[in-house]
Amino acid sequence: MNKIAVVVGHDKIEQGAYSNLLKNSEFGYHSEVVKHLPFDIYYRDSSINGYKGKMTKLANEINKKNYTLVVELHFNSFNGVANGCEALYFKGSEIGKRQAEIFVDAVVANYATTKRGAKEISKESDRGYWFLKLINSPALILEPFFGDNKEAISFKDAKRYADLLIKTLC
């Protein structure tokens, strides 16, 4: 049996990208999604300044438990045209790579979006580096859609997306 932890991306102060189509931020949207998940849920500490500091505290808490997989929920935003699904994993993590590919394939099949693929993260300058590096378990950052693209509308039903997460992560 898999033991899974899910982190809501961003925090109540720095809420991440905002989707006019969903009328919600990354933090707000994923706070709704996790209400439908049977996994351990974590949030970043908004009282800590800086990404690395937040990730260090989060990792220290998560690493106390022996998870088989840890994922952080996000969505992308760029120029209203870019679209598609991607998942980030840490360099050298074969389990992370495999889980990222499974997630991307499931989103593409269920939401008919573009496959941006599983992307390896290896440098401090890469987005999500500290989260992926500091978590002891295989870890992923999930980016299923672009909030500023019309594809976001298909993700409006938070429960539907949560059900897909349950099927693909277990």
Side-chain angles (χ1 to χ4, degrees), residues 29-30 39 42 45 55 81 92 103 114 133 137 144 148 163-164:
Y29 174 74
H30 290 110
F39 310 128
Y42 292 87
D45 185 339
M55 292 302 104
V81 177
F103 170 77
T114 302
K133 176 168 178 50
S137 306
D148 61 346
D163 288 345
L164 180 125

Side-chain angles (χ1 to χ4, degrees), residues 17-122:
Y18 185 83
S19 171
N20 284 323
L21 297 159
L22 297 176
K23 303 290 185 236
N24 216 338
S25 66
E26 288 180 82
F27 179 79
Y29 174 74
H30 290 110
S31 292
E32 291 300 316
V33 170
V34 298
K35 291 178 182 176
H36 306 287
L37 297 176
F39 310 128
D40 292 349
I41 308 300
Y42 292 87
Y43 293 87
R44 295 180 187 179
D45 185 339
S46 60
S47 70
I48 295 176
N49 289 327
Y51 174 69
K52 185 177 179 184
K54 288 179 187 201
M55 292 302 104
T56 299
K57 181 171 184 197
L58 183 66
N60 287 339
E61 186 178 348
I62 289 173
N63 290 340
K64 291 176 184 172
K65 299 187 179 177
N66 191 24
Y67 290 106
T68 53
L69 183 66
V70 179
V71 300
E72 188 171 48
L73 305 179
H74 288 272
F75 61 73
N76 279 316
S77 184
F78 182 56
N79 63 3
V81 177
N83 68 339
C85 174
E86 63 190 15
L88 314 177
Y89 66 94
F90 198 71
K91 179 182 180 180
S93 174
E94 288 304 314
I95 294 170
K97 181 180 180 181
R98 187 175 75 247
Q99 286 295 133
E101 290 168 345
I102 290 167
F103 170 77
V104 169
D105 288 346
V107 170
V108 168
N110 284 277
Y111 288 93
T113 189
T114 302
K115 182 176 182 176
R116 296 174 66 89
K119 297 186 176 179
E120 183 179 87
I121 300 301
S122 62

Side-chain angles (χ1 to χ4, degrees), residues 99-165:
Q99 286 295 133
E101 290 168 345
I102 290 167
F103 170 77
V104 169
D105 288 346
V107 170
V108 168
N110 284 277
Y111 288 93
T113 189
T114 302
K115 182 176 182 176
R116 296 174 66 89
K119 297 186 176 179
E120 183 179 87
I121 300 301
S122 62
K123 301 184 303 272
E124 277 189 46
S125 59
D126 291 338
R127 62 193 168 115
Y129 175 84
W130 288 112
F131 173 78
L132 297 170
K133 176 168 178 50
L134 294 172
I135 298 295
N136 290 342
S137 306
L140 304 175
I141 294 175
L142 306 180
E143 305 265 13
F145 62 92
F146 280 73
D148 61 346
N149 183 290
K150 66 183 186 305
E151 72 179 349
I153 296 166
S154 14
F155 287 85
K156 192 151 186 81
D157 182 346
K159 184 173 182 333
R160 178 181 174 213
Y161 178 52
D163 288 345
L164 180 125
L165 287 172

